[in-house]
Amino acid sequence: MLVSAIADVARLAGVSKSTASRALSGRGYVSEQTKTKVERAAAAIGYVVSSNAASLVTGRTRNVGVVIPFVNRWFFAEVLEGIESALIGAGYDLTLYRLSPNAALRERIFDYFLVRKRVDAVIAVDVALTAHEVALLKSLGKPIVSIGGDIDGISSLSIDDVRASRFMTEHLLSLGHTRIMHLGGDLNEQMDFRVHTQRLTGMREALDAAGIEHPDDFRAVPYTIPGGYAGALAVLGDPGSRPTAIVAGCDEIAIGAIVAARQLGITVPEQVSIVGIDGHNLAEMFGLTTLEQYPVDQGAKAVEMIMERLTSDRGPLEDERVTMPVHLKVRRSTTAPAGVAVR
């Protein structure tokens, strides 16, 4: 049935069966003009490539496993959108595995689903794979790319979280702020790659470089809008200890802080400047100055790296480190502190 069908497609397109097969499977070179003719011929007779049959021939499933800790948080949802769109464009499917904190469930994902189930490659989103997990996947020849931080033995992409936080603090320092506080994640409850610690470190590096003492410079809050709101209510409620600027660990914390300031009757930015990190889709609505990190692009770049590894004749490309671009977006949540002229 499959052979006769591909023969019909080839005859209608005026090409050989092997050319028609290459055009529809994506394996081997076929000119764009020929590919278009074959695809139109296949559509005309209602022919659809069987993924199971193609897998038997090529050894590929055209399916990529994505391991991720959350699916309902903004950053992760954006990364997934980028991965999914890029995979669809490349003719691949996606199988999603949400990683549980439960060690037994995690072991089952790696020792059963990703090993015995049929995926061609794995993308790990903000998951620090163990040496055992990396070795297991690599032993099967499955390319792996990490988003969010470096992992020994595999390629990765991320932003520089220390540098990002330091840069945003330096932006506030350039405006004349010296009483700066960080509202960030709990250092004892961190996701993999210790983003909370890195962003606190970046702020403190900037203050140290400027020769500014910074006692009482940090409040731990949940990485959410309500978390930023509750934390900012406590920090901004006392005029005696109130900072003139806040570096938020993420845009959601920053947005919560803006809402808290408004509730307290504190004007942003005249009485307190607030910056975030992310480029959240609500940032513009709240006039938030932020460092945009483009998570959709990070997802798409991870797929590009995976495709290079699946199609390269040079074998696996390992230990590539890609620092993703960021961009400062200045809006109306920052200005010079009272009594300091804007430069």
Side-chain angles (χ1 to χ4, degrees), residues 131-201:
H132 167 73
E133 291 164 349
V134 171
L136 191 64
L137 294 171
K138 290 179 70 174
S139 70
L140 298 171
K142 297 182 188 294
I144 321 163
V145 169
S146 166
I147 298 177
D150 294 346
I151 300 174
D152 289 342
I154 67 172
S155 294
S156 64
L157 63 94
S158 63
I159 68 167
D160 186 328
D161 285 294
V162 173
R163 188 173 181 181
S165 183
R166 177 167 181 160
F167 181 83
M168 295 309 288
T169 307
E170 289 170 345
H171 171 66
L172 294 171
L173 290 168
S174 73
L175 294 172
H177 291 277
T178 57
R179 295 168 58 195
I180 302 173
M181 177 171 283
H182 180 60
L183 293 185
D186 190 329
L187 304 186
N188 296 315
E189 298 179 5
Q190 301 200 69
M191 295 177 288
D192 289 348
F193 304 119
R194 303 187 66 78
V195 171
H196 301 168
T197 294
Q198 292 188 61
R199 293 188 179 177
L200 175 59
T201 297

Side-chain angles (χ1 to χ4, degrees), residues 62-129:
R62 302 191 73 83
N63 184 34
V64 172
V66 178
V67 183
I68 195 166
F70 306 100
V71 294
N72 60 345
R73 295 189 181 182
W74 176 81
F75 173 80
F76 298 98
E78 293 284 297
V79 170
L80 271 179
E81 181 180 328
I83 291 173
E84 182 185 39
S85 296
L87 285 176
I88 290 173
Y92 274 70
D93 292 326
L94 175 155
T95 300
L96 186 65
Y97 300 96
R98 189 179 70 83
L99 201 63
S100 167
N102 184 292
L105 292 178
R106 176 171 178 141
E107 182 178 352
R108 181 168 175 78
I109 286 175
F110 284 94
D111 290 358
Y112 179 77
F113 288 106
L114 291 177
V115 171
R116 301 182 191 178
K117 297 293 182 178
R118 298 182 62 79
V119 297
D120 293 338
V122 175
I123 298 174
V125 183
D126 205 32
V127 174
L129 303 179

